[in-house]
Amino acid sequence: MRDIAVFSGSAHPELAAEVCSHLGVPLSPSRVSRFANDCLEVQLQANCRGRDVFLVQPLVTPVQENLVELLLMCDAARGASAGRITVVMPHYAYARSDKKDAPRISIGGRLVADLLVSSGASRVLAMTLHSPQVHGFFSVPVDHLHALRELADHFRRTPGHDPSNTTVVSPDLGNAKEAAAFARMLGAQVAAGAKQRYADDRVSISTVIGDIADRDVIVLDDEIAKGSTVLELLDRLRELGPRSIRVACTHGLFAAGALKRLSEQPDVLEIVCTNTVPIPAEEHTEKLRVLSIAPALAEAVRRIHNGESVSALFDAPS
């Protein structure tokens, strides 16, 4: 592909390299250094003038470091006369800060969106934002992908998969629409938990609405961080007697030992996520399956570059 330059930040260079492999373009080099006063400096080490520049950087731990690095990458590309700057942000951590649910707090999702645009971003390519309204926080075009097709393809290939006896369970009503779309892809039923959150890591699920007894259950969430919601949901599901339980999400953050705790649940057969965020090799378990979303990101980048429809990606057969 001509007139395209793809750069990666420090957050997930393996994903950026895989995207470039599918595109058939080299990953352009960049350099990140730190001054004696602890300030970051970013240099894009390939020509950007008049080119379609794509900056790949999920906002993962350390989020603030990776965010500032991304802002500096945008500013560097703008200062180098890039024709267009697209931020490829597979995981937008600040999307969880999407409403003012307590006095005197910042809506971080909107603030960070403004910062990205101010630094030079012309458009954003994101995947599975925490809530639909986050899309509207950006004053530039946003192409919002999801990983439901990749997840559905995986479960269709699962031995013994029977859609007529499968229920997709959303941990809460906020994610129920996504779970319903996923259930339609599989030809399965859908259920949802009635959740109340008291703190970042303390939730209560009073009941699960839907058919669970003697059925194969797939718990679906957009992200798993500490895993407290999923663990609470598993307790409610066990009371209803499912035949099997699998857990799936797009963003496998698995903070504070969450992956180990989920893997230790004897009735959880499988934990499925995508590679929107890096998962250290030492944390992998026998139950973990990591699916690649690089082909989907690469196709979206190609379509953006060629001025084609990105939404058509979801209309095409898998």
Side-chain angles (χ1 to χ4, degrees):
M1 300 175 70
R2 298 179 57 193
D3 300 317
I4 185 172
V6 181
F7 297 90
S8 174
S10 303
H12 202 349
E14 298 84 5
L15 177 60
E18 192 177 347
V19 169
C20 286
S21 176
H22 285 282
L23 285 170
V25 301
L27 179 60
S28 298
S30 59
R31 178 182 61 83
V32 180
S33 57
R34 194 179 293 269
F35 292 107
N37 65 356
D38 203 39
C39 291
L40 290 174
E41 180 185 60
V42 173
Q43 181 185 30
L44 304 180
Q45 297 180 309
N47 180 36
C48 296
R49 187 174 297 273
R51 303 180 77 185
D52 206 358
V53 171
F54 293 84
L55 307 175
V56 183
Q57 180 87 321
L59 295 188
V60 295
T61 304
V63 173
Q64 278 58 245
E65 292 270 323
N66 288 323
L67 171 59
V68 172
E69 187 178 300
L70 178 57
L71 294 173
L72 293 174
M73 291 172 72
C74 288
D75 186 61
R78 178 175 58 181
S81 302
R84 180 174 60 178
I85 303 167
T86 300
V87 169
V88 181
M89 192 165 49
H91 177 59
Y92 183 34
Y94 275 97
R96 292 188 66 166
S97 178
D98 60 351
K99 55 187 175 294
K100 192 169 182 179
D101 52 4
R104 298 171 298 282
I105 62 170
S106 168
I107 303 177
R110 176 60 187 270
L111 172 62
V112 173
D114 288 344
L115 289 173
L116 286 168
V117 175
S118 296
S119 68
S122 308
R123 67 186 305 123
V124 173
L125 175 59
M127 178 162 279
T128 313
L129 294 170
H130 185 64
S131 54
Q133 64 263 30
V134 175
H135 189 139
F137 288 175
F138 293 88
S139 58
V140 294
V142 177
D143 291 301
H144 186 196
L145 306 183
H146 62 67
L148 296 185
R149 288 203 308 170
E150 286 76 9
L151 292 169
D153 285 346
H154 171 80
F155 286 110
R156 289 191 197 102
R157 295 192 299 267
T158 299
H161 169 68
D162 178 8
S164 65
N165 196 53
T166 300
T167 299
V168 177
V169 181
S170 169
D172 52 47
L173 298 178
N175 196 56
K177 185 176 180 180
E178 199 84 347
F182 185 61
R184 285 195 297 271
M185 288 182 174
L186 292 175
Q189 292 188 24
V190 66
K195 184 179 83 171
Q196 185 171 1
R197 181 175 292 278
Y198 300 101
D200 182 49
D201 59 350
R202 191 163 64 89
V203 300
S204 172
I205 297 178
S206 57
T207 188
V208 176
I209 306 164
D211 293 335
I212 301 298
D214 202 33
R215 296 180 66 82
D216 297 320
V217 167
I218 301 172
V219 175
L220 178 74
D221 209 350
D222 62 322
E223 68 178 57
I224 297 177
K226 290 186 177 180
S228 52
T229 294
V230 175
L231 290 170
E232 173 75 6
L233 178 61
L234 291 177
D235 288 340
R236 300 289 80 74
L237 291 173
R238 290 176 185 124
E239 297 168 359
L240 300 172
R243 187 171 75 172
S244 69
I245 300 176
R246 289 176 170 84
V247 175
C249 68
T250 299
H251 310 299
L253 303 176
F254 302 130
L259 183 56
K260 183 175 184 291
R261 288 195 298 274
L262 289 173
S263 298
E264 289 172 347
Q265 306 300 309
D267 48 358
V268 173
L269 302 182
E270 192 176 39
I271 303 164
V272 185
C273 67
T274 74
N275 63 341
T276 54
V277 303
I279 301 173
E282 61 270 17
E283 293 189 16
H284 283 229
T285 73
E286 290 183 359
K287 293 184 178 181
L288 180 66
R289 305 289 182 271
V290 181
L291 312 179
S292 178
I293 46 84
L297 288 176
E299 179 61 16
V301 167
R302 187 191 68 78
R303 288 173 180 247
I304 290 170
H305 178 65
N306 292 334
E308 300 173 8
S309 170
V310 174
S311 62
L313 275 173
F314 305 118
D315 301 329
S318 175

